[in-house]
C-alpha cells in the first residue's frame, strides 16, 4: 500500500467531480479517473485499480448501487473501498449499498477536511458510519425478516459477540481495547475473526448485521 491513495470519482455532475478532485489532489490523494455513470465507474475500477471509489447513487443508465454490486462481486485480489455520495442521509439506496458492501457514505455537502479524512479512513479498512445515522437507516429500511445480511451469530464466541456489540456503537479499535481491557492487537484479531466467521467484507457490514439481527437495537446500543 503506497502512501498516496488512488481514487475514482463517479458522479454525473461534472462540477462535483471537478471540485472533489481538486480537494483530494491538494491533499496528496491521486484521482486516477472520473466517471459520469455507473458503467464508466465499473470500467475505471477494472482499468485503474483504485483504493477508493467515491460513488454517487443516482446516475443515469447504471446507477451507483448497481455499480457497487458489480465492483464488489467481480473477482479481484483487492477490491476497492466504496464511499457512497448522497444528498440525503436517510436514503433507502444508501442502506442497500451498505448491505452490498460499501464502506460508508458521505453527504455531498461534506467539508473538504471530512472528505479527505473519509478517503484515508476507509482505505485502511475502517467503516465510515456514524452510529446514530446507521441506526436510523437500519430501523427504517432493513427487512424485518430474512434481511439481506442475515447471519447466524451463534458461530461467534461470547467475547466476539461483545466486541461486535461495541463495534456497532462506532467504537474504534483503540476504544474497544480500552473498554474491554484488551490490547489493540487482540481486538483486531477478534474483529478479523468476526468478519471471517460471518462472511462479511468489513466493519460497515458488521454494523449493519448487528442491527438487522437485533444484536443491538435503535435506542439501546
Amino acid at each position: 500500500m503506497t502512501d498516496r491513495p488512488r481514487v475514482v470519482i463517479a458522479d454525473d455532475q461534472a462540477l462535483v467531480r471537478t471540485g472533489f478532485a481538486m480537494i483530494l489532489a491538494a491533499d496528496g490523494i491521486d484521482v486516477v479517473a472520473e466517471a459520469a455513470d455507473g458503467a464508466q465507474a465499473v470500467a475505471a475500477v477494472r482499468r485503474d485499480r483504485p483504493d477508493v471509489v467515491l460513488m454517487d447513487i443516482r446516475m443515469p443508465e447504471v446507477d451507483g448501487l448497481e455499480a457497487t454490486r458489480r465492483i464488489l462481486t467481480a473477482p479481484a485480489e483487492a477490491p476497492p473501498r466504496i464511499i457512497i455520495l448522497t444528498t440525503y442521509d436517510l436514503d433507502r439506496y444508501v442502506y442497500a449499498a451498505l448491505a452490498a458492501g460499501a464502506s460508508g457514505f458521505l453527504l455531498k455537502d461534506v467539508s473538504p477536511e471530512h472528505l479527505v479524512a473519509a478517503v484515508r479512513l476507509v482505505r485502511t479498512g475502517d467503516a465510515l458510519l456514524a452510529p446514530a445515522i446507521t441506526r436510523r437507516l437500519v430501523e427504517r429500511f432493513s427487512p424485518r425478516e430474512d434481511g439481506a445480511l442475515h447471519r447466524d451469530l451463534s458461530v461467534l464466541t461470547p467475547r466476539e459477540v461483545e466486541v461486535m456489540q461495541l463495534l456497532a456503537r462506532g467504537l474504534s479499535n483503540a476504544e474497544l481495547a480500552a473498554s474491554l481491557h484488551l490490547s489493540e492487537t487482540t481486538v483486531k484479531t477478534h474483529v478479523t475473526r468476526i468478519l471471517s466467521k460471518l462472511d462479511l467484507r468489513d466493519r460497515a457490514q458488521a454494523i449493519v448485521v448487528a442491527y438487522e439481527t437485533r444484536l443491538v437495537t435503535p435506542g439501546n446500543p
Side-chain angles (χ1 to χ4, degrees), residues 24 61 98 114 133:
L24 296 177
E61 304 300 331
L98 295 176
H114 193 182
I133 293 177

PDB file of all heavy atoms in Angstrom, residues 24 61 98 114 133:
ATOM      1  N   LEU A  24      -9.064  16.611  -3.218  1.00  0.00           N
ATOM      2  CA  LEU A  24      -8.237  15.436  -2.938  1.00  0.00           C
ATOM      3  C   LEU A  24      -6.804  15.639  -3.417  1.00  0.00           C
ATOM      4  O   LEU A  24      -5.842  15.309  -2.709  1.00  0.00           O
ATOM      5  CB  LEU A  24      -8.857  14.192  -3.582  1.00  0.00           C
ATOM      6  CG  LEU A  24     -10.236  13.783  -3.042  1.00  0.00           C
ATOM      7  CD1 LEU A  24     -10.771  12.586  -3.821  1.00  0.00           C
ATOM      8  CD2 LEU A  24     -10.169  13.463  -1.556  1.00  0.00           C
ATOM      9  N   GLU A  61     -28.450   5.551 -16.643  1.00  0.00           N
ATOM     10  CA  GLU A  61     -28.086   4.228 -17.165  1.00  0.00           C
ATOM     11  C   GLU A  61     -27.841   3.256 -16.009  1.00  0.00           C
ATOM     12  O   GLU A  61     -28.754   2.665 -15.500  1.00  0.00           O
ATOM     13  CB  GLU A  61     -26.868   4.329 -18.101  1.00  0.00           C
ATOM     14  CG  GLU A  61     -27.040   5.293 -19.260  1.00  0.00           C
ATOM     15  CD  GLU A  61     -28.202   4.936 -20.171  1.00  0.00           C
ATOM     16  OE1 GLU A  61     -28.545   3.749 -20.277  1.00  0.00           O
ATOM     17  OE2 GLU A  61     -28.776   5.869 -20.774  1.00  0.00           O
ATOM     18  N   LEU A  98     -24.824  -0.156   1.501  1.00  0.00           N
ATOM     19  CA  LEU A  98     -24.087  -0.651   2.662  1.00  0.00           C
ATOM     20  C   LEU A  98     -24.219  -2.167   2.764  1.00  0.00           C
ATOM     21  O   LEU A  98     -23.247  -2.874   3.037  1.00  0.00           O
ATOM     22  CB  LEU A  98     -24.593   0.012   3.937  1.00  0.00           C
ATOM     23  CG  LEU A  98     -24.383   1.520   4.062  1.00  0.00           C
ATOM     24  CD1 LEU A  98     -25.030   2.046   5.330  1.00  0.00           C
ATOM     25  CD2 LEU A  98     -22.895   1.869   4.035  1.00  0.00           C
ATOM     26  N   HIS A 114     -13.326  16.747   5.891  1.00  0.00           N
ATOM     27  CA  HIS A 114     -14.013  15.482   6.142  1.00  0.00           C
ATOM     28  C   HIS A 114     -13.887  14.552   4.941  1.00  0.00           C
ATOM     29  O   HIS A 114     -13.737  13.334   5.102  1.00  0.00           O
ATOM     30  CB  HIS A 114     -15.484  15.754   6.461  1.00  0.00           C
ATOM     31  CG  HIS A 114     -16.200  14.574   7.025  1.00  0.00           C
ATOM     32  ND1 HIS A 114     -17.538  14.581   7.345  1.00  0.00           N
ATOM     33  CD2 HIS A 114     -15.774  13.316   7.313  1.00  0.00           C
ATOM     34  CE1 HIS A 114     -17.908  13.405   7.791  1.00  0.00           C
ATOM     35  NE2 HIS A 114     -16.852  12.606   7.782  1.00  0.00           N
ATOM     36  N   ILE A 133     -26.815   7.615  12.656  1.00  0.00           N
ATOM     37  CA  ILE A 133     -27.395   7.553  11.316  1.00  0.00           C
ATOM     38  C   ILE A 133     -27.582   6.107  10.885  1.00  0.00           C
ATOM     39  O   ILE A 133     -28.580   5.747  10.262  1.00  0.00           O
ATOM     40  CB  ILE A 133     -26.511   8.316  10.312  1.00  0.00           C
ATOM     41  CG1 ILE A 133     -26.541   9.818  10.640  1.00  0.00           C
ATOM     42  CG2 ILE A 133     -26.993   8.086   8.878  1.00  0.00           C
ATOM     43  CD1 ILE A 133     -25.648  10.654   9.754  1.00  0.00           C
TER      44      ILE A 133
END
